[in-house]
Amino acid sequence: MISFVKSYSISKDTIALLAVTMIVLGLFLSGLFDVLDYLIIKALLFFSFGTLFILACIYAIKNDTDTEKNRPEEALQNDSN
């Protein structure tokens, strides 16, 4: 089991795709079996959506501030020669 997990790398894209897939399947199956009308199911789905939205915002802010600059700000040079 451990070697199976180590053979696949889990990136942020994979985690996001898995989370969206789980929410879509949850909505589809709960609508299919007519349990979407229950208050607990609705609350659970809205809570999971809100949690994913907050996590996405946190990752977006973190990625925006972690960008690296390729060229230095000081002592710029001309590379056209």
Side-chain angles (χ1 to χ4, degrees):
M1 178 73 179
I2 294 174
S3 63
F4 175 74
V5 173
K6 288 183 180 180
S7 64
Y8 292 104
S9 64
I10 298 176
S11 66
K12 292 178 186 176
D13 294 333
T14 306
I15 294 171
L17 286 173
L18 287 174
V20 169
T21 303
M22 302 253 314
I23 289 176
V24 168
L25 283 176
L27 284 170
F28 178 75
L29 291 176
S30 61
L32 185 68
F33 293 118
D34 290 330
V35 295
L36 192 59
D37 295 333
Y38 297 129
L39 182 63
I40 295 172
I41 299 297
K42 286 181 182 179
L44 181 65
L45 289 172
F46 281 117
F47 177 74
S48 62
F49 176 75
T51 304
L52 285 176
F53 183 75
I54 290 170
L55 286 175
C57 290
I58 290 171
Y59 279 121
I61 291 170
K62 186 185 294 186
N63 284 339
D64 189 33
T65 59
D66 290 344
T67 56
E68 295 180 13
K69 295 181 180 178
N70 292 333
R71 296 188 63 112
E73 293 284 330
E74 301 171 2
L76 297 175
Q77 60 185 4
N78 187 1
D79 294 335
S80 64
N81 293 342

